[in-house]
Amino acid sequence: GHSAFCGAMCMDANGNIALSYTTVSPTLYPSLRYTGRLASDPPGIMTFAEQVIYNGSQINPASRYGDYAQMTIDPLDDATFWAIGEAFSGGRKNYAGAFQLAPPELTANFNADVSTVCKGGSTNFNDLSQPAATSWNWSFPGASPASSTQQNPSGITYLNSGSYDVTLTVSNGSEVNTLTRNDYINVEDLIAGFSASATSLIVGNQVTFTDASACDPQTWNWTFEGGDPATYNGQIPPPITYNQTGSYDVSLVITKPGASDNISRSDYITVLPPVFTMQNGTITTCTGDFYDSGGANANYSSNENLVLTVMPQGNGNLLKVSFSAFNLENNYDKLYIYDGASVANNLLATLTGTTLPGTYTSSTGPLTFRFTSDNSLNRAGWEASFECMNTNMPPVVNFMASETTVALGETVQLTDLSTNLPTSWLWNITPPTFEYVSGSNGSSQNPAVIFTETGTYTVSLTASNVNGSNTYIKENYIQVLPFIYCTPAYSTGTGDGDYISLVQLNGMANSTGASASPYYTYFSNLSTDLIPGSAYTLTVSAGSYSSNNISAWIDFNIDGVFSEAEKLGNVALGAMPATGDILFTVPADAEIGNTRMRVREVYGQANQNPCATYTYGETEDYNIHLLPQNRELMLTLYLEGLFNGTNMNKVQNASGDQFGGDIADEIVLELHHISPPYALVNEAHVLAVNTDGTASISLPASLGESYYLAIKHRNSIETWNASPLSFENLTISYDFSSSQSQAYGNNLKLIGDKWVIYGGDVNQDGTVDIEDMTPVDNDAANFISGYLVNDINGDGMVDISDMTIVDNNAAMFVGKITP
């Protein structure tokens, strides 16, 4: 016989030791495990991998845990261990496990360094058999070599595409075991792959994607759901900006002659709301709300000593912080702001008490914040926001109104949102039937106005600094109506989980929690553009209650009433994150202008009234801009080769006019994003330019931001406009000919009283030089005629007059100048 010591650990008759125990973690419910070691194993090591006795399925529902744990050895065979311990599934229960420890049987196992390779590529194989084998026989169908007796064969090459088995047979002199992995090696003509610089980021920031494809692809087509730009053709896409919160897919299609492959990763990029709390660490952003450690709704804590460094996104940017609320225990709790990446940099401010601070901008890029609190009197803390500036450039102008659909006599707050630190402001509002109030005027940064007549008002802002000025015009931006929308009400509101947690429409997305009384919020800063006759999907999500009804209306005729005919629909859905869709089409006869959308959640009411009082629920309003189908862009420009001092000649072919009517020639117009790498927006457009220098095009109304214009012509220098042009208006005009400063880099030539676009770039490489002169010279020597790229002056004949234009501009080193 023998004696065995048992408890949480036992030894069997052969000296093998087993250990049973409980494990738990933030992602694992209390569960039972065991491990062990053989008598022949090195001392002090549990050599057996952890094994499962039982996995729990709920948290500890009681105040006690771990009672009655025991381990024994079976008296019948002196080899079977019995372990019992406590876990939780439908309450507190004890679970038993029975097992033995013995040397494992010989088991063949292996892997490959890579299991997907390019045609003609190779991989290495690794023996993972247990316990150690003494001989190995590999079989590699379709590969060279096709077999091996090495333990870890390398350089196994596959010459043809397809899927191939791999077989390993191992022996230790007494046992033999074989493992075959079917279709283990995949040989591809192309393998798509990519990585991202970040998969989680703050809204408004950028992600850099890196191609990781193999097998020498020749084309790359990227799709970035929710990104800007949304697509890109090429191996190295520009940084992709994500301007809406959510989770987004990324896909890549690659091709080469005779082959293609693709990869798509669902919910690969997570875009988080721009909300930061005081903490230890470093963040990178150019936007966001900034709170003390208690966040938006709680006080900070005692005995805090936190240091947070905020780095600006992008090269050359400076970080600016602006406070909108401040409440610290005076002289005891303090917020320090340093001009740089650490507390060793210059101290900009020491803030305490309740006086609202101003704004602070770094001189080198980042700002560092240090907060300290004592052991008592915790207060509300602060609310602030971040933005980025660039002091080496003129302002990029932007602004907003507190409301864009207002009642007569209602005060509207205009807020400057310009970047790059403007130092002066000039507002212009038309028609002039309004008054500045609250001590403000047209030169205030953030004036307040009251409109004295109904109608639609256009607002513009010119912002300036030492580097220049820019103007942003929002045409028909504010609509003054003789009415005020009804205010919905609730007697109890969101208390039982009845509220709206998501409203998403046409690029506008708003995620919120339960609101406070009066359970109604007008999100005047959120809006989206809709086009009459077009179909849309409104996606909504409710709160934590299991049964919800959400209805929506849009005041399509802009009369201040949400009529039954203007109801978009109702959706019944469960608790978040469940979502529901309301599909609707904007009436073709909807009024063009600014209006409002109402979204209501009401418990137990599918047939809701937009204004009535209910018990449980919440209401949210949003701005809607009803736009016509298109925006009209009107250009004025002259091409040096065709310009005769007054207007442009009509370009000729061998037999006469190349184009009919008043068309002088054609150009290509490109719209580019205003941030590096200045990616192309949508597509290039071919425009006819008239002899008077005018050209026009109808563009989609969805193009409502600011863009650079790039003008290209078959034998002229590519020319960009001087600064981003706002497409907020429905009609946009730009005249390249009125001033040299109308082109980026002043890249225009004065002829008479007009500034014209340089000619002579025959090969369109961006520079006028000898490579342009040679083909013009050759064609002139051969008396070539027709509508030709080498015919700079467009008279239908390549001759000395064309050579003169090229020669003069080459001597001046004329070339394109772009951002």
Side-chain angles (χ1 to χ4, degrees):
H2 72 281
S3 62
F5 172 79
C6 295
M9 181 180 292
C10 281
M11 178 184 294
D12 66 12
N14 297 314
N16 304 319
I17 297 174
L19 171 68
S20 66
Y21 52 92
T22 301
T23 184
V24 66
S25 77
T27 59
L28 179 69
Y29 295 114
S31 302
L32 303 180
R33 300 284 191 268
Y34 76 86
T35 183
R37 61 181 303 279
L38 301 177
S40 59
D41 289 336
I45 300 175
M46 289 293 183
T47 56
F48 279 72
E50 181 177 78
Q51 303 294 318
V52 176
I53 297 175
Y54 182 77
N55 282 326
S57 59
Q58 69 175 90
I59 62 172
N60 180 6
S63 59
R64 299 187 311 179
Y65 174 45
D67 290 356
Y68 317 119
Q70 186 183 21
M71 193 171 183
T72 60
I73 196 76
D74 194 316
L76 298 179
D77 59 14
D78 282 337
T80 299
F81 296 96
W82 288 86
I84 188 169
E86 189 175 46
F88 304 98
S89 178
R92 301 177 68 221
K93 296 179 181 178
N94 282 325
Y95 294 88
F99 57 89
Q100 291 186 358
L101 301 180
E105 295 181 356
L106 180 66
T107 303
N109 193 14
F110 64 87
N111 67 12
D113 287 352
V114 290
S115 59
T116 300
V117 299
C118 298
K119 185 166 65 175
S122 61
T123 188
N124 304 319
F125 290 88
N126 308 296
D127 171 44
L128 303 176
S129 304
Q130 291 293 332
T134 57
S135 66
W136 304 265
N137 286 290
W138 299 82
S139 175
F140 308 114
S144 177
S147 62
S148 175
T149 58
Q150 297 178 359
Q151 181 179 6
N152 300 302
S154 61
I156 308 302
T157 303
Y158 290 84
L159 300 177
N160 298 300
S161 57
S163 296
Y164 298 96
D165 301 346
V166 175
T167 299
L168 170 62
T169 299
V170 294
S171 172
N172 59 9
S174 59
E175 297 177 283
V176 176
N177 191 253
T178 298
L179 172 65
T180 297
R181 298 192 186 279
N182 296 318
D183 296 332
Y184 182 58
I185 301 298
N186 297 300
V187 184
E188 305 286 353
D189 294 312
L190 278 176
I191 303 172
F194 62 83
S195 62
S197 59
T199 57
S200 179
L201 71 155
I202 300 300
V203 66
N205 289 326
Q206 296 179 328
V207 176
T208 299
F209 291 88
T210 301
D211 173 49
S213 304
C215 313
D216 301 318
Q218 296 182 10
T219 69
W220 298 259
N221 296 301
W222 300 80
T223 300
F224 306 105
E225 179 190 25
D228 181 17
T231 60
Y232 182 77
N233 295 329
Q235 183 179 14
I236 305 174
I240 306 302
T241 303
Y242 288 87
N243 293 315
Q244 297 290 340
T245 59
S247 296
Y248 298 104
D249 302 346
V250 177
S251 62
L252 171 62
V253 179
I254 59 173
T255 68
K256 68 180 181 183
S260 67
D261 192 31
N262 66 85
I263 182 173
S264 182
R265 292 175 175 165
S266 299
D267 297 333
Y268 184 59
I269 299 297
T270 300
V271 185
L272 303 173
V275 177
F276 308 96
T277 57
M278 188 66 199
Q279 57 189 288
N280 287 317
T282 300
I283 60 174
T284 301
T285 186
C286 264
T287 184
D289 295 327
F290 177 39
Y291 298 94
D292 58 276
S293 62
N297 301 310
N299 293 356
Y300 55 84
S301 300
S302 299
N303 299 314
E304 291 188 351
N305 188 356
L306 305 172
V307 176
L308 175 68
T309 296
V310 184
M311 308 292 293
Q313 179 86 21
N315 294 327
N317 281 331
L318 307 180
L319 188 73
K320 174 183 175 182
V321 62
S322 302
F323 289 87
S324 56
F326 199 83
N327 185 355
L328 304 184
E329 183 187 5
N330 192 39
N331 294 325
Y332 292 97
D333 301 336
K334 298 178 181 180
L335 177 66
Y336 305 88
I337 305 177
Y338 299 87
D339 186 11
S342 77
V343 295
N345 293 109
N346 181 50
L347 179 64
L348 292 178
T350 301
L351 307 177
T352 190
T354 58
T355 301
L356 184 65
T359 61
Y360 300 91
T361 303
S362 66
S363 63
T364 60
L367 289 174
T368 295
F369 301 85
R370 180 188 176 211
F371 176 68
T372 61
S373 61
D374 65 1
N375 59 4
S376 63
L377 294 179
N378 306 327
R379 294 188 173 173
W382 66 84
E383 298 177 10
S385 61
F386 295 126
E387 63 179 302
C388 286
M389 302 291 174
N390 193 316
T391 57
N392 298 319
M393 296 180 64
V396 176
V397 183
N398 194 9
F399 62 89
M400 63 171 289
S402 57
E403 297 183 57
T404 57
T405 303
V406 299
L408 192 65
E410 186 176 354
T411 299
V412 175
Q413 179 68 53
L414 297 174
T415 302
D416 168 47
L417 301 176
S418 305
T419 59
N420 300 340
L421 297 175
T423 55
S424 64
W425 301 265
L426 181 62
W427 295 86
N428 185 43
I429 303 174
T430 56
T433 50
F434 70 94
E435 298 175 355
Y436 289 106
V437 296
S438 302
S440 63
N441 57 49
S443 298
S444 301
Q445 182 178 8
N446 302 305
V449 297
I450 290 178
F451 296 93
T452 56
E453 292 186 9
T454 60
T456 301
Y457 289 79
T458 294
V459 182
S460 72
L461 170 62
T462 300
S464 306
N465 62 18
V466 294
N467 301 300
S469 62
N470 275 310
T471 300
Y472 191 8
I473 303 173
K474 295 190 176 185
E475 187 175 337
N476 301 327
Y477 179 54
I478 296 177
Q479 190 165 20
V480 181
L481 304 173
F483 54 76
I484 298 176
Y485 284 99
C486 63
T487 300
Y490 300 89
S491 59
T492 302
T494 63
D496 285 351
D498 291 278
Y499 57 90
I500 301 164
S501 60
L502 172 67
V503 173
Q504 184 170 316
L505 172 62
N506 193 35
M508 178 185 73
N510 190 31
S511 299
T512 58
S515 66
S517 179
Y519 315 111
Y520 163 72
T521 304
Y522 171 32
F523 290 99
S524 60
N525 62 323
L526 297 179
S527 65
T528 191
D529 301 336
L530 303 183
I531 298 174
S534 298
Y536 297 93
T537 300
L538 171 65
T539 299
V540 294
S541 181
S544 58
Y545 192 67
S546 60
S547 178
N548 307 273
N549 278 279
I550 296 180
S551 296
W553 300 259
I554 293 179
D555 182 14
F556 289 121
N557 61 2
I558 315 181
D559 65 352
V561 177
F562 296 112
S563 67
E564 185 63 25
E566 295 171 325
K567 186 173 183 178
L568 307 182
N570 180 86
V571 61
L573 68 167
M576 60 179 175
T579 60
D581 292 337
I582 297 176
L583 310 180
F584 69 95
T585 298
V586 178
D589 59 352
E591 292 286 335
I592 301 301
N594 301 327
T595 189
R596 194 175 293 189
M597 175 175 71
R598 174 156 295 177
V599 182
R600 291 202 83 176
E601 196 283 328
V602 178
Y603 167 69
Q605 290 285 339
N607 185 24
Q608 300 178 20
N609 181 291
C611 300
T613 297
Y614 294 100
T615 303
Y616 297 101
E618 184 185 32
T619 300
E620 297 178 355
D621 280 5
Y622 298 86
N623 288 327
I624 299 294
H625 304 315
L626 297 174
L627 300 179
Q629 293 288 339
N630 298 306
R631 298 180 190 273
E632 298 296 324
L633 173 62
M634 295 181 291
L635 301 173
T636 301
L637 59 95
Y638 295 95
L639 305 170
E640 178 186 9
L642 303 184
F643 189 62
N644 59 25
T646 303
N647 54 25
M648 286 197 294
N649 298 321
K650 292 171 60 66
V651 71
Q652 304 293 300
N653 54 39
S655 59
D657 294 345
Q658 173 70 17
F659 300 102
D662 292 328
I663 298 175
D665 204 350
E666 290 182 338
I667 61 169
V668 172
L669 167 70
E670 294 180 350
L671 271 61
H672 288 263
H673 291 280
I674 65 175
S675 299
Y678 309 106
L680 178 67
V681 178
N682 198 1
E683 61 183 353
H685 307 274
V686 178
L687 279 69
V689 183
N690 298 317
T691 55
D692 63 357
T694 59
S696 63
I697 184 174
S698 293
L699 296 168
S702 57
L703 296 175
E705 300 179 7
S706 292
Y707 308 101
Y708 277 111
L709 308 180
I711 304 299
K712 297 182 178 181
H713 175 251
R714 60 199 180 97
N715 54 33
S716 298
I717 283 292
E718 177 181 338
T719 304
W720 289 43
N721 67 317
S723 59
L725 180 63
S726 168
F727 273 57
E728 180 73 19
N729 300 339
L730 299 177
T731 301
I732 307 105
S733 299
Y734 198 85
D735 185 353
F736 282 88
S737 69
S738 62
S739 169
Q740 187 180 28
S741 62
Q742 289 292 92
Y744 194 91
N746 297 324
N747 200 27
L748 293 171
K749 180 177 183 178
L750 182 63
I751 300 179
D753 63 350
K754 301 294 185 184
W755 291 92
V756 303
I757 293 175
Y758 285 104
D761 188 10
V762 171
N763 62 3
Q764 291 292 284
D765 66 352
T767 304
V768 183
D769 53 21
I770 188 64
E771 294 182 1
D772 302 298
M773 178 69 75
T774 300
V776 175
D777 191 21
N778 291 340
D779 282 0
N782 292 301
F783 304 101
I784 302 298
S785 63
Y787 180 59
L788 303 169
V789 69
N790 295 340
D791 179 18
I792 310 302
N793 68 0
D795 63 359
M797 177 68 69
V798 183
D799 52 24
I800 188 65
S801 60
D802 304 302
M803 295 172 60
T804 300
I805 295 174
V806 177
D807 191 26
N808 290 340
N809 288 340
M812 295 169 58
F813 303 102
V814 170
K816 71 177 181 180
I817 305 176
T818 63

